[in-house]
Amino acid sequence: MYAIRLGDDGAELRPLEPWHAEEFLAHLERGREFINQYVPFGSRATDVPTAREALQRYADLRAADTASLHGLWLDGRLVGGVLTLHFDAENGTCEVGCWLEPAATGRGLVARAMRVLIDWAVEQRGIHRVEWVAAAGNEPSLNTARRLGMTRDGVRREAHLHHGVRHDLEVWSVLAPEWRRARARADR
């Protein structure tokens, strides 16, 4: 359907759909402990049928125009992804997020993919406010929000219970005019 090159290192952004269930499961198995440190993403996908169900859920949300899921491939291997959540085109808001397996970290993959996703949300779909929500202890995620030029709006104290621990959630955002100004400076 589409494959967007994210640089010269073999990284691509592609659709992540139900027919990728086996590949998605293999990816989750490689990174499950790392991916689930702060969020339960993919935690219920423990075999091919449940992996397919997880991907189908996002396909259904995409069809309803309320979320979207996109995979990150590195040298032909699924290593993570980016997504939109709470996508509300009418009100011009959405949340974005990501996940990676450990072997893919430290390469800037998420920031590169997220720039494509935010560009699409702002320029194609008219989103005005893009939000990033991450556990306060998830430094790689918070650093990505910073690299994307987002502003820290605040902290929702002990708002997320995960693995028996209540995590503070940091809320970051970028507004469409800010995004466009930053992109224009980067293009110079």
Side-chain angles (χ1 to χ4, degrees):
M1 183 173 188
Y2 70 83
I4 299 170
R5 284 187 52 178
L6 297 174
D8 295 331
D9 60 354
E12 290 184 328
L13 182 66
R14 302 184 203 163
L16 183 54
E17 299 176 328
W19 63 273
H20 292 112
E22 289 182 27
E23 188 174 9
F24 181 60
L25 179 63
H27 153 64
L28 289 176
E29 291 301 326
R30 289 190 303 271
R32 190 173 301 280
E33 186 177 323
F34 180 78
I35 293 166
N36 292 164
Q37 288 178 82
Y38 295 101
V39 294
F41 180 80
S43 62
R44 293 185 182 151
T46 56
D47 56 25
V48 172
T50 55
R52 187 173 292 109
E53 286 173 17
L55 295 176
Q56 185 62 54
R57 181 174 155 268
Y58 279 97
D60 293 344
L61 291 169
R62 173 92 184 215
D65 201 26
T66 58
S68 63
L69 190 64
H70 314 270
L72 281 167
W73 274 261
L74 187 58
D75 296 324
R77 181 177 179 174
L78 179 64
V79 295
V82 295
L83 66 153
T84 62
L85 303 156
H86 315 293
F87 194 90
D88 184 346
E90 185 176 331
N91 288 308
T93 60
C94 75
E95 180 182 340
V96 294
C98 66
W99 77 97
L100 279 178
E101 63 184 63
T105 62
R107 300 168 185 247
L109 293 174
V110 168
R112 288 184 272 161
M114 197 57 71
R115 286 183 186 101
V116 172
L117 189 61
I118 295 172
D119 277 345
W120 169 81
V122 168
E123 301 303 343
Q124 300 298 311
R125 298 304 312 278
I127 295 298
H128 177 73
R129 176 186 169 83
V130 177
E131 235 177 51
W132 184 281
V133 180
N138 189 347
E139 282 300 320
S141 186
L142 299 176
N143 287 337
T144 300
R146 287 181 189 98
R147 278 193 296 280
L148 292 169
M150 293 186 164
T151 298
R152 183 174 179 252
D153 295 333
V155 177
R156 293 172 30 213
R157 297 179 312 137
E158 297 185 6
H160 179 63
L161 180 63
H162 186 60
H163 294 311
V165 176
R166 290 212 164 268
H167 295 272
D168 291 350
L169 293 178
E170 292 196 17
V171 179
W172 293 68
S173 68
V174 65
L175 305 178
E178 297 165 343
W179 183 255
R180 288 183 183 115
R181 281 192 301 272
R183 297 301 287 161
R185 283 192 302 270
D187 290 342
R188 287 184 199 164

